[in-house]
């Protein structure tokens, strides 16, 4: 059977326009098996934990079997739509989003009444040791060895003009579906993916939450704070030369006491660290790491600061640090005040003394 190839999509177009298709599935047009096999060949290139490749894919094209699965899915959909977790009941206090959710619920109901009429039903499965019993606790690693392959199948289908939908409501009747299809006891189902040609011209990217509402850098933050306002002061890059830098523009900068002032201070004493408007960052690159940045007026040059900090051998220690408390313990050995981190540097060859500090 010949089919008309789709115009090529860019990677970004493919990833942002592969939508869950329900109402626009063409229930009357047959889908060539060779086309579905192409999509599954691509799916097999997805990652699999330990390269185990325990996935299996059950394609259902027999009209009687599809109708039986459709009845079970319809029963599960009706129970779902009556539940409090139904898509149509979410975000009721947000008029704009609530309207979108109601459309989703209507679309779910439409497919629920027609799942058995979709030309191809795909059930991705995992074959498990131990009789198919799921282990207690986190199962991300288990299903993470199958779900990327399913998504690859859906992307490949979209690139070939096919529509798909990610559905899992049939799992309420997983045992009944397994008996209907003759699945062994050790085989567990992950989803039910209806596959058909779609009607209409194409798809657009969906409306999603702003990235800053769901992005968390280095640690969890309240969405009201946002990524740009995090007070996280220091960052380590494990396995590489130490990098200790303020992450946000609001962070207090590194402060350097002028040599002329430091020279008048007895060796080994603390001092109130002067503040500057310019930003510095502390870094250790290899064995000769140091502090560098834009030079504030009247302050010592970055090369002198870098040379002095290098004498502390900071770069030899910090690459092995993996936790913040270990960083603080290390800096304690270089005179840490609770409100600020100060590193004392002794006399150099020119008789200067200086101290380098950064707010932790």
């Amino acid at each position: 059977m010949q089919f008309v190839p789709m115009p090529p999509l860019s990677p970004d177009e493919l990833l942002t326009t592969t939508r869950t298709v329900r109402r626009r599935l063409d229930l009357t047009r047959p889908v060539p098996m060779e086309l579905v096999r192409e999509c599954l060949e691509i799916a097999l290139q997805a990652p699999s934990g330990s390269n185990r490749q325990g996935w299996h894919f059950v394609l259902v094209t027999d009209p009687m079997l599809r109708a039986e699965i459709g009845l079970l899915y319809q029963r599960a959909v009706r129970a779902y739509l009556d539940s409090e977790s139904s898509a149509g009941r979410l975000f009721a206090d947000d008029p704009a989003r609530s309207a979108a959710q109601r459309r989703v619920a209507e679309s779910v109901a439409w497919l629920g009444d027609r799942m058995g009429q979709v030309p191809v039903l795909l059930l991705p499965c995992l074959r498990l040791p131990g009789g198919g019993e799921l282990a207690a606790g986190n199962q991300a690693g288990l299903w993470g060895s199958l779900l990327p392959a399913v998504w690859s199948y859906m992307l490949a289908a979209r690139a070939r003009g096919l529509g798909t939908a990610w559905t899992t409501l049939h799992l309420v009747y997983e045992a009944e579906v397994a008996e209907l299809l003759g699945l062994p006891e050790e085989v567990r189902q992950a989803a039910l993916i209806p596959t058909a040609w779609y009607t209409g011209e194409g798809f657009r990217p969906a409306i999603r939450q702003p990235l800053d509402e769901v992005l968390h850098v280095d640690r969890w933050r309240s969405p009201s704070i946002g990524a740009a306002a995090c007070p996280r002061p220091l960052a380590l890059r494990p396995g590489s030369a130490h990098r200790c830098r303020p992450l946000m523009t609001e962070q207090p900068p590194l402060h350097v006491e002028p040599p002329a002032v430091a020279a008048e201070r007895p060796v080994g004493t603390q001092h109130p660290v002067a503040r500057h408007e310019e930003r510095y960052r502390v870094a250790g690159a290899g064995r000769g790491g140091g502090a560098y940045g834009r030079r504030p007026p009247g302050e010592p040059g970055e090369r002198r600061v870098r040379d002095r900090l290098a004498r502390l051998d900071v770069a030899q220690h910090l690459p092995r640090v993996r936790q913040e408390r270990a960083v603080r313990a290390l800096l304690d050995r270089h005179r840490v005040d609770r409100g600020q981190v100060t590193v004392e540097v002794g006399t150099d060859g020119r008789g200067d003394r200086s101290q380098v500090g950064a707010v932790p």
Side-chain angles (χ1 to χ4, degrees), residues 149-311:
V150 184
W151 179 235
S152 292
Y153 168 82
M154 298 173 72
L155 291 172
R158 163 78 174 106
R160 288 159 175 76
L162 298 175
T164 58
W166 182 281
T167 76
T168 57
L169 291 177
H170 85 288
L171 293 176
V172 175
Y173 303 104
E174 181 182 8
E176 289 83 348
V177 173
E179 182 179 1
L180 185 65
L181 301 178
L183 303 183
E185 290 185 0
E186 68 271 18
V187 172
R188 299 300 298 265
Q189 304 160 49
L192 172 62
I193 312 296
T195 305
W197 300 102
Y198 63 79
T199 60
E201 295 299 320
F203 299 93
R204 296 175 297 177
I207 298 175
R208 292 291 191 244
Q209 294 172 266
L211 174 61
D212 286 341
E213 292 185 9
V214 296
L215 175 63
H216 308 267
V217 180
D218 291 334
R219 62 177 63 182
W220 187 273
R221 293 175 189 84
S222 169
S224 62
I225 296 177
C230 171
R232 175 74 171 175
L234 304 177
L236 296 180
R237 183 173 299 172
S240 64
H242 166 245
R243 293 192 177 275
C244 185
R245 58 183 175 83
L247 294 180
M248 308 301 170
T249 56
E250 294 83 3
Q251 290 290 320
L254 174 73
H255 309 298
V256 180
E257 185 178 24
V261 176
E264 300 176 359
R265 189 178 304 282
V267 176
T269 60
Q270 300 263 342
H271 71 285
V273 181
R275 295 185 176 274
H276 304 299
E277 296 297 326
E278 294 288 337
R279 162 176 287 226
Y280 276 74
R281 63 177 176 171
V282 178
R287 295 188 178 182
Y292 60 97
R294 293 188 297 275
R295 178 181 178 182
E299 297 302 332
E302 65 178 60
R303 182 174 181 179
R304 181 178 299 179
V305 175
R306 181 167 59 248
D307 291 343
R308 288 173 179 168
L309 191 57
R311 292 192 183 95

Side-chain angles (χ1 to χ4, degrees), residues 14 25 84 232 247 293 306 340 352:
L14 181 63
L25 292 174
E84 292 299 322
R232 175 74 171 175
L247 294 180
R306 181 167 59 248
Q340 61 187 13
D352 292 333

